[in-house]
Amino acid sequence: MSEVLLFHHALGPNEGLRAFADELRRAGHTVHSPDLFEGRTFATIGDGVAYADEVGWGEIMTRGDRAAEALTNDLVYLGFSLGVVPAQKLAQTRPGARGALFVSSCLPVAEFGGWPAGVPAQIHGMDADPIFTGEGDLDAARELVSSADDAELFLYPGDQHYFADSSLPSYDAGATELLTQHVLGFLARAGA
């Protein structure tokens, strides 16, 4: 089984992401889900991103680093949207990563150096999500897939950014079921 460090999106740690983490736990994986926002939650993506801007993205990444410090190096890093920033940084820079799972976001590989050899990755997003497809994330995901030894991009039909958060109106049960199947298969291989 795999050990996963899951980073939340811009709304903060909420019930929908806890439910996703619990699904992974029921499959036998250990999931850590730190709070990068120190107890704050937000109603909109804009408000959450404004908070991250206010405290500084360097501080958000430092909080992610601190969450990882107390854990083994043999982690799979999972990020949802804003949470991809610390997840991708750790997957690319912290030795021992077992894998990386990015949902609704991806940064250019060059942001943190090159993609590390032997670290598998999956990127998931909706094919008409204006944030994922329109702000460069899809291009970065395609670049990562072409530069890594073992990386896959999964696009689901739809235009929702937070499609996998069951606590929100944007939730898409069908896409989330497929996402969960892909993630569980990935975690089974990473933990072998």
Side-chain angles (χ1 to χ4, degrees):
M1 293 292 112
S2 291
E3 189 165 357
V4 180
L5 184 55
L6 183 157
F7 293 107
H8 61 76
H9 51 49
L11 303 185
N14 66 6
E15 190 57 41
L17 292 184
R18 283 191 286 278
F20 191 88
D22 287 343
E23 182 76 20
L24 303 183
R25 289 181 184 109
R26 278 191 293 280
H29 304 288
T30 301
V31 181
H32 308 276
S33 49
D35 180 357
L36 300 174
F37 285 178
E38 299 182 330
R40 293 170 184 83
T41 57
F42 299 95
T44 69
I45 293 171
D47 290 344
V49 170
Y51 171 75
D53 287 339
E54 179 184 316
V55 300
W57 287 92
E59 175 60 22
I60 296 296
M61 288 191 289
T62 297
R63 291 174 185 177
D65 291 344
R66 282 196 302 262
E69 284 173 3
L71 304 173
T72 178
N73 284 359
D74 299 334
L75 295 169
V76 173
Y77 299 98
L78 169 56
F80 285 85
S81 191
L82 175 144
V84 168
V85 176
Q88 188 166 340
K89 178 196 179 254
L90 288 163
Q92 286 189 237
T93 63
R94 190 170 188 240
R98 301 286 299 191
L101 295 159
F102 306 148
V103 181
S104 299
S105 186
C106 188
L107 299 171
V109 172
E111 186 77 22
F112 304 112
W115 192 259
V119 176
Q122 283 185 354
I123 306 102
H124 302 266
M126 287 202 139
D127 63 4
D129 168 7
I131 297 171
F132 185 70
T133 62
E135 295 184 6
D137 299 85
L138 179 57
D139 294 334
R142 288 182 171 139
E143 174 202 359
L144 191 157
V145 168
S146 70
S147 68
D149 300 331
D150 180 7
E152 297 175 284
L153 171 61
F154 295 97
L155 293 174
Y156 308 97
D159 62 359
Q160 298 301 308
H161 192 61
Y162 290 158
F163 71 92
D165 185 328
S166 61
S167 68
L168 300 174
S170 58
Y171 177 65
D172 184 311
T176 301
E177 182 178 338
L178 290 172
L179 165 71
T180 303
Q181 289 173 9
H182 292 302
V183 167
L184 289 174
F186 182 94
L187 293 176
R189 289 188 303 276

